[in-house]
Amino acid sequence: MRTRRGLSYPRGAAVNACDTAAGKRTATTSYKRGKPDFAAGDYLVRRKKNRLISNQKTGETDLFDSLPDDLVISILCKLSSSASCPSDFINVLLTCKRLNGLGLHSQVLSKASPKTFAVKAKNWSDSAHRFLKLFADAGNVEACYTLGMIRFYCLQNRGSGASLMAKAAISSYAPALYSLAVIQFNGSGGSKSDKDLRAGVALCARAAFLGHIDALRELGHCLQDGYGVRQNVTEGRRFLVQANARELAAVLSRPRSGLPTRTWFSWNPHAHPNHRHPTGNGHSGCPLLSDFGCNVPAPESHPASRFMTEWFAIRGGSSGSGLRLCSHTGCGRSETRKHEFRRCSVCGAVNYCSRACQALDWKLRHKEECAPVERWVDEDGEGGADGDDGGVDGDGDDVMIES
């Protein structure tokens, strides 16, 4: 090949240049047609193998990638069941992509402890709602019950909240069974005619069979008063004794009760000025442990109850106009309609969602504060209503009547 100056390229160089150009055109055409470049792929594979070999020689191999998924899931299950706060679990999810994927496995979420998803009311948001819903969708009964209570009482989503509590109750979760019993007793979410006392007693009996202390106490009062079931004072007293025994056992088994054991059994028969003595008919009922002079600490409330208490405290202590909260500080339930809860018939200053809450608040606080009045008036200027009695007088407690 000649140039303008009359010189020519060497024949060998010209052939090599033509072959190179042809190779580039072929590669470009193959790339445009979607054909893979096997030479480039082989080069990347060799480069990756060489890097792995060099890492093995220097001792920098990441052994975590070689662990099977089953073993990692088992470790994460142990972590979620023993976490003391949500951040302990979330920090692990943020470590790497693999832990994030395996940490959201249904088996890990279903075994999480209540402290893992314990969200405070002041930090409630849509993201916190979705975070709690992850555990509920995975079948975690604690999360189903907690989210159900929040939706039913705080977010006022009655249908969704009741269905989540029913999902937990199907799995024989005693607090969910008892909460559904309270809803049936009060007709919560509906009108007064929606009360179903027999269904409430049946749910309460199932929760009592599982050892729920409040359900045992509620069932005992129902039997003593003939409320939703045929009256049986002896059997009701037996359930109340069993509730007291389980309450004491729960306190004794608590590792950090904050009270010396000797002070629990310090006998003080005149501890409360309103202490009532057995009546003349011989049916004195079953006094609570405080009536025997045992200074038993208050039982620890459920995380759902603590959330509801904080939720309504932030909003001024009420869930709406004219709606009251249960006076027992460890409950947190709110009325879903006016005059749903029953008042103390002696002073009319307190109201309760259930007999169990009334009995607990009586021994912890109200026994020293209750003072009889001639006539109490409600917020609307009306006198005390004369609904069905539903009284609770078995423990030396003041009677509750319908508002």
Side-chain angles (χ1 to χ4, degrees):
M1 180 180 294
R2 297 185 63 84
T3 64
R4 294 178 182 179
R5 296 182 181 181
L7 300 177
S8 61
Y9 292 110
R11 182 174 181 81
V15 173
N16 291 336
C18 293
D19 293 342
T20 303
K24 289 183 178 179
R25 287 194 300 269
T26 304
T28 305
T29 305
S30 299
Y31 175 78
K32 290 181 179 180
R33 293 177 180 175
K35 295 181 180 180
D37 190 354
F38 292 102
D42 294 340
Y43 171 74
L44 293 176
V45 171
R46 287 196 301 271
R47 184 178 177 183
K48 186 175 181 180
K49 287 182 178 180
N50 293 333
R51 186 169 64 252
L52 291 175
I53 293 174
S54 62
N55 290 337
Q56 290 178 359
K57 290 181 179 179
T58 57
E60 298 179 357
T61 305
D62 189 1
L63 297 177
F64 177 71
D65 293 335
S66 62
L67 293 177
D69 289 347
D70 294 342
L71 180 59
V72 178
I73 290 175
S74 177
I75 296 173
L76 291 174
C77 287
K78 181 65 175 178
L79 172 67
S80 65
S81 62
S82 59
S84 59
C85 60
S87 60
D88 291 346
F89 182 69
I90 295 176
N91 289 335
V92 175
L93 300 183
L94 298 177
T95 304
C96 65
K97 185 177 181 180
R98 188 186 184 196
L99 285 178
N100 190 4
L102 296 179
L104 298 178
H105 193 274
S106 60
Q107 185 177 354
V108 178
L109 298 178
S110 63
K111 295 184 178 181
S113 65
K115 294 182 179 180
T116 306
F117 48 83
V119 182
K120 294 185 178 181
K122 62 180 180 180
N123 300 327
W124 183 256
S125 61
D126 291 338
S127 58
H129 194 170
R130 291 192 299 269
F131 177 72
L132 188 55
K133 189 174 182 297
L134 285 174
F135 295 89
D137 293 341
N140 190 304
V141 292
E142 289 272 4
C144 289
Y145 172 70
T146 302
L147 184 58
M149 292 285 284
I150 293 173
R151 286 183 177 179
F152 190 89
Y153 289 103
C154 300
L155 305 181
Q156 299 182 3
N157 191 344
R158 315 296 185 192
S160 176
S163 63
L164 282 172
M165 284 188 278
K167 181 179 179 181
I170 291 173
S171 301
S172 297
Y173 187 60
L177 288 164
Y178 175 69
S179 294
L180 291 175
V182 173
I183 291 175
Q184 295 294 331
F185 281 135
N186 297 326
S188 302
S191 62
K192 187 175 181 179
S193 60
D194 293 328
K195 292 182 179 181
D196 193 343
L197 303 184
R198 296 184 64 182
V201 170
L203 290 167
C204 210
R206 177 60 180 169
F209 175 77
L210 296 174
H212 194 265
I213 297 175
D214 289 342
L216 284 167
R217 186 169 285 124
E218 185 81 14
L219 185 60
H221 285 302
C222 288
L223 287 169
Q224 280 194 336
D225 303 330
Y227 189 70
V229 68
R230 182 179 297 177
Q231 187 175 16
N232 190 333
V233 177
T234 304
E235 191 70 13
R237 188 181 304 146
R238 185 179 69 85
F239 277 109
L240 291 174
V241 171
Q242 187 176 356
N244 294 335
R246 285 184 176 272
E247 180 186 21
L248 180 60
V251 172
L252 292 175
S253 62
R254 195 183 308 171
R256 297 177 182 178
S257 60
L259 191 67
T261 307
R262 291 182 179 180
T263 60
W264 294 349
F265 301 100
S266 56
W267 173 251
N268 186 7
H270 304 290
H272 302 288
N274 292 342
H275 178 78
R276 299 180 183 180
H277 298 283
T279 57
N281 56 7
H283 297 300
S284 60
C286 175
L288 293 171
L289 293 174
S290 59
D291 295 326
F292 288 112
C294 300
N295 300 318
V296 179
E300 185 178 359
S301 57
H302 193 275
S305 299
R306 293 197 297 268
F307 181 94
M308 293 189 298
T309 302
E310 183 182 352
W311 175 277
F312 293 119
I314 295 174
R315 286 152 182 81
S318 175
S319 61
S321 58
L323 300 181
R324 304 166 299 184
L325 301 179
C326 181
S327 297
H328 176 43
T329 56
C331 176
R333 290 181 177 86
S334 169
E335 288 182 326
T336 60
R337 66 176 186 278
K338 287 187 177 182
H339 310 302
E340 177 182 340
F341 293 164
R342 287 165 293 183
R343 288 180 182 268
C344 171
S345 63
V346 178
C347 65
V350 293
N351 42 266
Y352 303 101
C353 66
S354 63
R355 290 164 171 77
C357 284
Q358 186 268 343
L360 285 173
D361 192 63
W362 171 260
K363 77 157 189 170
L364 294 175
R365 178 182 63 89
H366 191 54
K367 176 181 282 191
E368 298 178 350
E369 300 174 356
C370 185
V373 293
E374 295 181 0
R375 181 75 172 175
W376 49 265
V377 181
D378 60 15
E379 292 85 351
D380 297 332
E382 301 174 355
D386 51 353
D388 48 344
D389 52 77
V392 181
D393 201 16
D395 288 1
D397 303 335
D398 51 348
V399 183
M400 293 193 300
I401 66 172
E402 295 282 346
S403 295

